[in-house]
Amino acid sequence: MIDSSTAAEPPVITSPLSYAHFEQMAALELKYYGADFITPAEEAYRWYCKHAYTTTAATVNSEVVGFVNLFPILPAEFEKLLCGQLNDSELTAESIVDIHADEEPLHMFLSCILIEPAYRRTGLTHRLLRAAIAPYLPVQHRCRLIATDNITPEGADFSRHFGFTAQGTSEHGSHLFVQPFSSFISKVFASQ
């Protein structure tokens, strides 16, 4: 649990991440929405072991205080996402595209961004986003659209703030947003 004395310590972008970190991330998510919207820690860790670029996390004393899940998903999965038929909890490691495998276009999904309240408005959001984007800079010419699927009002506010355009509501009641990946990169690196 984060308290005011811990909040004075600066978070560190942490790599490599352990399975315990993924359990902490799932516990953080449970503070804000139900388990039916959360990829189980076991599967999220499997994503990470197969494609380390899927997750970027910040820790204080080995405790996760914020994280981002950003990765390309298969075209069919991306289409389901845009149609409101994909729930994050259904994603598997096999849903994620290997950015090194070929030269096909990449369809990006910002699946989750979560910052503990004590670390909001400290610049950690931008640090995490920039670190999460970094692996995609060499292949950004292949990255087409980026989508978000927001369960909370704060998530929808985040998407609007970073230039996403509303696309409607999903079958599970979340709010979908999309924009070109190049625009998202520009917005993240232009803002503080």
Side-chain angles (χ1 to χ4, degrees):
M1 185 61 68
I2 303 300
D3 61 30
S4 57
S5 64
T6 305
E9 297 182 39
V12 176
I13 304 294
T14 302
S15 182
L17 297 170
S18 68
Y19 179 70
H21 290 125
F22 283 83
E23 291 178 313
Q24 292 172 23
M25 289 181 234
L28 285 175
E29 288 183 278
L30 279 172
K31 292 181 180 181
Y32 300 97
Y33 37 84
D36 50 334
F37 297 112
I38 299 170
T39 303
E42 298 83 11
E43 188 60 35
Y45 185 62
R46 220 167 64 82
W47 299 347
Y48 178 76
C49 290
K50 190 170 182 182
H51 307 290
Y53 49 79
T54 57
T55 307
T56 304
T59 62
V60 172
N61 297 326
S62 299
E63 187 171 344
V64 174
V65 297
F67 69 95
V68 173
N69 295 125
L70 172 65
F71 44 81
I73 57 176
L74 295 170
E77 298 285 324
F78 194 75
E79 189 61 35
K80 280 178 62 178
L81 174 65
L82 294 182
C83 291
Q85 300 170 342
L86 179 70
N87 184 325
D88 290 28
S89 65
E90 301 166 2
L91 289 171
T92 66
E94 290 72 32
S95 303
I96 297 168
V97 174
D98 182 347
I99 62 173
H100 308 293
D102 56 41
E103 286 297 315
E104 294 298 315
L106 299 171
H107 309 283
M108 306 299 290
F109 184 28
L110 179 53
S111 166
C112 188
I113 178 164
L114 197 149
I115 310 293
E116 279 278 28
Y119 293 93
R120 294 178 187 170
R121 303 194 195 310
T122 65
L124 181 58
T125 300
H126 289 89
R127 285 181 51 216
L128 280 168
L129 286 171
R130 289 173 181 153
I133 288 169
Y136 304 107
L137 294 177
V139 295
Q140 67 181 310
H141 62 284
R142 294 172 44 209
C143 300
R144 301 298 189 258
L145 295 176
I146 180 172
T148 62
D149 184 11
N150 301 246
I151 303 298
T152 65
E154 294 83 6
D157 289 345
F158 165 89
S159 291
R160 286 186 205 92
H161 175 77
F162 280 93
F164 287 85
T165 302
Q167 298 296 297
T169 305
S170 73
E171 292 177 351
H172 47 278
S174 61
H175 299 282
L176 302 165
F177 291 81
V178 69
Q179 74 172 303
F181 191 68
S182 59
S183 299
F184 179 63
I185 290 174
S186 296
K187 185 76 171 172
V188 168
F189 283 93
S191 59
Q192 292 297 342

